Amino acid sequence: MLDVRRMRVLHEVARTGSFAAAASELWCTPSAVSQQIAALEREAGVVLVERGARGARLTAAGAVLDRHAAVVLGQLAAARAELDDLAQLRTGRLRMTAFESAWALLVPAALARLRAEHPDLELDLAEADPDEGLAALRSGERDLVLVFEPNDLPGDALAGALRTEVCRDELHAVVPAGHPLAGAPQIALDDLAQESWVVPTESCERLVRGACAVAGFEPRVVFSSADYGAVQGFVGAGAGVALVPRLALSESPRVVPRPLAPRPDGSRPGRTIAAVTASEDIRPPAASAMLDALRTAAAQLA
């Protein structure tokens, strides 16, 4: 096997015409250049350089090897440049999946920041529930998956992956405009115990019902939907009240969102939004950049 570093020495000797000039370019001594050429000749099994008083000249075999050395060194330089571009996000691709309500505020704000800092980054974005996104991450089809907790994922769903908390997304009470509590600075959850309720479905329903249970009541549900926009639309139509995460709140004159009053222990019900990626040592630079953008966007939205 021919040593690439020694091939570079040969290429410099060919380009400069002497061991001394090559040594100057390579920041070493003429003796070190001579030793490297001698070692390369042993590897190649032929004489590569003719030494003389007027300098060094390649043999026919040396010229053949130098021609290939130029190609190899050029390819290595190109590879180094591509790696640098990837590390600096002058190129590359982000393959990201997020759950539905994350696309309302959080992800667009993060993407705007990412685009401003890395305009040449290619984006491959998809909407999927956390279980589907994590399956795509495990198969290598996704670089970053945004999930919410609590959810119905099995305990080993994150095995082999790296979870990073992005933010805490507290639940807000959403009441129709004109509701007696619409003007309150915050709403105690148990004050809504006698109301009709519009609730989300699937994992988010468990979050809402759990919060109501802690407040001491079971919500009387009149409508359910997996779409937080539809939930708030029904509230605006006067069908009932709802609990909606802050980052999924919509702007409508027909509904009024209000923070929940803290529980006796000072906490408020909500969900945690987290990003899941491959381990840090193999995580693509684009995923790391998006993770930073998500945390910054979440802090700004708060």
Side-chain angles (χ1 to χ4, degrees), residues 76-153:
L76 289 175
R80 178 73 267 171
E82 285 192 33
L83 289 174
D84 290 342
D85 284 344
L86 192 63
Q88 299 300 321
L89 294 181
R90 292 186 292 263
T91 186
R93 179 173 58 158
L94 172 68
R95 303 173 301 168
M96 175 181 172
T97 293
F99 55 92
E100 182 180 5
S101 58
W103 296 100
L105 291 175
L106 178 59
V107 175
L111 287 175
R113 181 178 183 86
L114 188 71
R115 274 295 195 194
E117 296 180 352
H118 308 291
D120 297 323
L121 190 64
E122 181 183 349
L123 299 177
D124 179 358
L125 308 174
E127 179 183 307
D129 290 334
D131 55 346
E132 297 173 3
L134 291 174
L137 178 71
R138 287 191 294 269
S139 67
E141 299 173 15
R142 297 282 114 180
D143 304 313
L144 184 149
V145 178
L146 207 60
V147 302
F148 60 85
E149 303 162 348
N151 48 46
D152 296 326
L153 297 174

Side-chain angles (χ1 to χ4, degrees), residues 10 22 37-38 48 61 77 85 87 104 107 123 137 155 182 216-218 222 224 229 238 243 255 269 289 294:
L10 175 70
I37 293 297
L48 301 172
D85 284 344
V107 175
L123 299 177
L137 178 71
F217 69 95
E218 174 74 18
V222 297
S224 300
L243 290 182
V255 301
L294 284 166

